[in-house]
Amino acid sequence: MSKRTLKWNEKKIEQFIKEGRGQGEGKDYKPWLVVQDFPTMGVATRILGKTTGRVHHFFSNTQLKYFYLLEWEDNVIDIREHYPLLDLEESLSDMSDLNLEKFRDKESKVDYILSTTFLITVLDSNGNKKYAARSIKYASELKKKITLEKLEIERRYWTEAKGIDWGIVTNKEINDIRVKNIEWLHPVMISKNQNGLENNELKDLCEGLLYRLNESRNSVRQTIIQYEQDYSLDKGIGIFLFKYLLANKIVLVDMDKPINLNCSFKELCRHRREVEN
């Protein structure tokens, strides 16, 4: 549990619910906890999401890294962070063996509203919605009794009461190289202005770059620089185009290996498809 900088009582719960926290889906969802609730936490991050089109709130680097992994998956259609277990007492029939006093404000004697880091909506192979809940922790946290007790509450809530797949993800289970690759592409993934290029212009330039890359024996970096010079493009447009090809999975690379622009295109590329409008 993070140390709270806000006073926790029944009035605060009512305020959160009135604000719509923990409610809605997609762009309309509001997380139960936001970075403004913890003004002293230096690791807090706000980031715009591609999947939802809204700003997400995270309180650790591991939470952010897992978010990037979710953003890359095509079958993920909604990501709700800090999802509150508002109906916990109604959902769990027997909590006699759970020490809920540990999750209670010492001054107000009001129980904290526990939350799970992510509630994820995915589409299965038949196009049906399914849900998965994930609790994100540093591996070192799993040595703490209070952390394990909270996770047990979450497990019972999701698996036993809700019938939803739940699991724990730690920093040791996250591929940092994959995360860094997605982080590098993410600004293009969420960009709407396409670097000022019209759709037809963007398509033509991407097709031209793809042809150059496929025919060139030089490195990707050298080919991009030459392409910019030949077409009198502003510096940086070539890198944007290459990122666009990767971000939209027109060009596929091994995301679990560093994207090395000093390699040739044939060394880097696994597969490519036609550029679409």
Side-chain angles (χ1 to χ4, degrees), residues 34 53 85-86 96 103 116 138 141 162 176 182 229 247 256:
V34 297
L85 316 186
L86 290 171
S96 59
F103 309 100
T116 295
Y138 287 107
E141 292 183 272
K162 302 297 182 181
D176 283 339
I182 299 169
Q229 293 174 350
D256 294 331

Side-chain angles (χ1 to χ4, degrees), residues 131-149:
Y131 300 94
R134 292 292 180 268
S135 296
I136 312 302
K137 297 292 180 185
Y138 287 107
S140 58
E141 292 183 272
L142 300 184
K143 299 177 182 179
K144 301 176 182 179
K145 186 176 180 181
I146 191 170
T147 299
L148 296 176
E149 289 176 341

Side-chain angles (χ1 to χ4, degrees), residues 187-228:
V188 176
M189 292 165 61
I190 62 175
S191 175
K192 293 183 179 180
N193 65 11
Q194 301 180 152
N195 220 31
L197 300 172
E198 297 294 333
N199 284 341
N200 288 339
E201 186 181 14
L202 176 63
K203 180 182 178 182
D204 289 344
L205 287 172
C206 282
E207 287 179 343
L209 179 59
L210 260 178
Y211 177 81
R212 283 287 189 93
L213 288 167
N214 200 48
E215 295 297 316
S216 176
R217 294 183 180 180
N218 295 326
S219 70
V220 170
R221 190 184 308 278
Q222 291 172 320
T223 305
I224 288 173
I225 292 172
Q226 189 63 52
Y227 186 70
E228 287 179 338

Side-chain angles (χ1 to χ4, degrees), residues 85 88 91-100 116 148-164 166:
L85 316 186
L88 178 64
S91 299
L92 297 185
S93 56
D94 183 14
M95 297 190 294
S96 59
D97 61 329
L98 298 175
N99 188 1
L100 296 180
T116 295
L148 296 176
E149 289 176 341
K150 180 179 181 293
L151 291 172
E152 173 59 16
I153 294 172
E154 291 185 57
R155 185 195 68 79
R156 293 190 195 183
Y157 178 86
W158 291 113
T159 62
E160 297 179 8
K162 302 297 182 181
I164 289 175
W166 172 86

Side-chain angles (χ1 to χ4, degrees), residues 19-24 26 28-32 34 54 81-82 84:
E19 291 175 359
R21 298 204 191 191
Q23 303 168 52
D28 297 323
Y29 173 73
K30 294 183 178 180
W32 183 253
V34 297
R54 66 172 177 83
E81 74 275 21
H82 313 305

